Amino acid sequence: MGYNEAKRKANDRYDKENMIAYTVKYQKSIYEAVGKAMSDTGINRNRWTTIAIVEKLERDGYIQSKEDQ
């Protein structure tokens, strides 16, 4: 199925209702380490950062792991 105007509108509606974007500043050394980790794993920056945040939230008990549900 190709990308079309209806799909774009559905994605925009979903994002408006369910997503929040924010900017994060890092020290250059951390940014470069994340870049290396992304390159090594083949995961894009958004997904890599989301995984890191979720793992920390699970470890600290703020959210429950999906495996534990």
Side-chain angles (χ1 to χ4, degrees):
M1 178 170 138
Y3 193 80
N4 60 37
E5 188 69 16
K7 180 66 173 167
R8 185 192 62 77
K9 287 181 181 180
N11 287 345
D12 289 349
R13 184 171 46 255
Y14 178 86
D15 286 351
K16 184 177 180 180
E17 295 172 2
N18 298 287
M19 307 298 280
I20 295 174
Y22 65 98
T23 301
V24 179
K25 290 188 338 184
Y26 298 103
Q27 291 178 337
K28 288 182 180 182
S29 60
I30 294 171
Y31 185 86
E32 291 165 358
V34 169
K36 169 112 174 70
M38 290 172 17
S39 176
D40 290 351
T41 61
I43 300 173
N44 70 40
R45 186 170 306 277
N46 186 60
R47 184 70 184 134
W48 193 95
T49 305
T50 300
I51 290 168
I53 291 168
V54 169
E55 287 177 358
K56 174 71 170 154
L57 290 170
E58 289 172 349
R59 275 196 312 269
D60 292 353
Y62 290 101
I63 62 173
Q64 187 175 14
S65 171
K66 288 187 178 184
E67 291 92 35
D68 295 341
Q69 293 179 357

